[in-house]
Amino acid sequence: MSNASAKPTSRFNAYMALTMATIAMIVCFMAWSNFAPLAGQVATMFHLSVSERTLLLATPVLLGSILRIPMGIFSDKYGGKKVYILLMIFILIPLFMITKVHTFGMLLVAALFVGMAGTSFAVGVSYASAWFPAEKQGLALGIVAMGNMGNAVAALTLPWISKSQGFNMVYYTLMILTVIMIVLFAIFCREMPVDKSKTMLGALSVVKESSTWYLSLFYFLTFGLFVSFSNLTPTFLTTLFGVEQIQAGLYAALFGFICTIIRPVGGALADRYRPMSMLQWVFIGIAAFGLLITVTFHNQPLFIVGIVGVGLVAGFGNGVIFKMVPYVSKGNTGAVTGFVGAVGGLGGFFPPLVIGWIQSATGSYQLGIILLVVTAIICWYALWRHFIHGDVHIVQ
């Protein structure tokens, strides 16, 4: 039975799948982004340099990005419910490891494995999309992707838990939440329709579609911004303006919340209007707010305006882009989601490393933000050349 030919008839099952996939993603993203709001404390505990600190922040993003491709394919083939439950069981292992490590090297190993939590995006989108027709998937996928809010929830809660209950309690709390979600998912969710005849090679045929690569480039920018700035905002505020860790976490939570809550708005509007045209303004907006950030490194209020502006525009763009994903290759939503999501996740992996290296070499973050502006301009030109004035039209 294939996703394309068999749609579940129960509205309850559809909404339950959407709700549980979203909540589970929130918990997984809390685990995925756990180091960012605690970066200052971890840096002190392990005596980390700026480059080591940014390496730690980037490491979970690596595995959580690359493995979105097979996880999305497995979800299409074997069922999102099974894959989601197994994923959450695996996440418990590195969360426990973090409470026991005493060296930076072992901490990086745990950070790499906890990165698997980031693959929940591909699994969740594949699972939720199976229950809704294409004309409603812009809003539905925008809602399930609000699981990205886990970054904001982590920034809001983890520093407070660490300060009041201790560092290890952060990870015990994440483990408890994960176990709760495993139980709820097992009890309340039905398995999605799957096509067991699919092969890995067949699913990977989506790489032959030029639109897969263009959407990946665009998502590299928009989702990469969400991940990078969610992780880097506390570091920016503590190092540039001397903001206290818990307050910096609140600002990071605000960024993550804004970037996430606007995403279904982008998806819903993309259901009604031409998404390619809307994306032009997304890239222009990112470039404009990026330029604002580059000139406000000594002005905290305007700097925060730039950060929030980037979050709004990038989050909106995430919703627009994923409206187009199910149209690239019918019946391979998980594969396309995995590929596009993987490249987008890598957009969250490289910028913290590059910015850390640039800061170490120049003493400033400014050049790193200028590279962001250049990337936005490149994406705008690719969109204009391929979709706006080209002959490729995914969604009219």
Side-chain angles (χ1 to χ4, degrees), residues 54-321:
T54 53
L55 175 61
L56 178 64
L57 294 178
T59 296
V61 180
L62 180 62
L63 198 66
S65 302
I66 295 174
L67 290 189
R68 285 182 176 186
I69 298 173
M71 292 297 282
I73 294 172
F74 290 153
S75 185
D76 280 347
K77 182 176 176 65
Y78 299 109
K81 176 181 177 178
K82 298 183 190 72
V83 175
Y84 226 145
I85 290 174
L86 290 173
L87 170 62
M88 289 188 282
I89 291 172
F90 177 85
I91 292 169
L92 295 172
I93 299 172
L95 289 176
F96 181 73
M97 285 178 60
I98 294 171
T99 66
K100 301 300 180 183
V101 300
H102 300 288
T103 66
F104 179 57
M106 288 304 299
L107 186 64
L108 282 179
V109 172
L112 180 67
F113 289 142
V114 85
M116 277 296 295
T119 67
S120 61
F121 178 80
V123 180
V125 168
S126 172
Y127 179 64
S129 67
W131 302 83
F132 295 90
E135 64 271 15
K136 295 183 179 180
Q137 286 186 353
L139 178 58
L141 297 185
I143 291 173
V144 72
M146 287 179 66
N148 295 347
M149 194 181 298
N151 288 46
V153 177
L156 192 62
T157 60
L158 299 191
W160 178 83
I161 293 173
S162 182
K163 185 174 182 179
S164 61
Q165 304 295 325
F167 180 76
N168 284 350
M169 184 55 67
V170 169
Y171 299 94
Y172 296 141
T173 300
L174 291 173
M175 283 187 278
I176 291 170
L177 291 174
T178 303
V179 170
I180 291 172
M181 286 311 307
I182 292 170
V183 173
L184 292 178
F185 219 92
I187 294 174
F188 293 106
C189 291
R190 284 190 58 192
E191 187 55 276
M192 60 187 266
V194 297
D195 183 357
K196 293 186 178 180
S197 66
K198 285 185 177 181
T199 64
M200 182 73 73
L201 185 62
L204 289 175
S205 65
V206 300
V207 302
K208 298 178 182 178
E209 302 283 347
S210 63
S211 295
T212 299
W213 291 94
Y214 278 93
L215 293 185
S216 297
L217 171 64
F218 302 156
Y219 205 60
F220 179 89
L221 174 64
T222 59
F223 185 74
L225 274 175
F226 167 70
V227 176
S228 297
F229 276 45
S230 292
N231 287 339
L232 289 173
T233 293
T235 298
F236 284 152
L237 294 177
T238 54
T239 57
L240 292 173
F241 303 106
V243 176
E244 196 266 338
Q245 178 172 285
I246 291 181
Q247 185 180 357
L250 291 175
Y251 281 118
L254 174 64
F255 172 83
F257 178 78
I258 288 173
C259 196
T260 301
I261 204 70
I262 197 68
R263 181 168 184 151
V265 176
L269 289 177
D271 282 336
R272 300 183 59 186
Y273 305 106
R274 191 168 185 246
M276 291 79 168
S277 299
M278 296 167 64
L279 273 181
Q280 288 191 100
W281 297 104
V282 168
F283 299 143
I284 291 171
I286 289 173
F289 282 112
L291 288 173
L292 175 63
I293 292 172
T294 62
V295 298
T296 57
F297 278 99
H298 301 290
N299 187 318
Q300 183 178 337
L302 286 179
F303 182 84
I304 292 173
V305 168
I307 293 288
V308 171
V310 164
L312 275 170
V313 179
F316 185 89
N318 288 336
V320 174
I321 291 168

Side-chain angles (χ1 to χ4, degrees), residues 15-80:
Y15 289 138
M16 181 58 70
L18 182 62
T19 301
M20 296 303 293
T22 304
I23 297 173
M25 197 185 299
I26 290 174
V27 173
C28 288
F29 267 61
M30 288 180 67
W32 195 36
S33 62
N34 75 88
F35 290 115
L38 305 174
Q41 182 179 358
V42 174
T44 301
M45 291 171 59
F46 289 87
H47 310 289
L48 305 183
S49 66
V50 172
S51 58
E52 288 173 332
R53 183 168 165 170
T54 53
L55 175 61
L56 178 64
L57 294 178
T59 296
V61 180
L62 180 62
L63 198 66
S65 302
I66 295 174
L67 290 189
R68 285 182 176 186
I69 298 173
M71 292 297 282
I73 294 172
F74 290 153
S75 185
D76 280 347
K77 182 176 176 65
Y78 299 109

Side-chain angles (χ1 to χ4, degrees), residues 345-359:
L346 291 176
F349 173 73
F350 288 109
L353 290 179
V354 173
I355 287 175
W357 293 332
I358 289 174
Q359 197 279 337

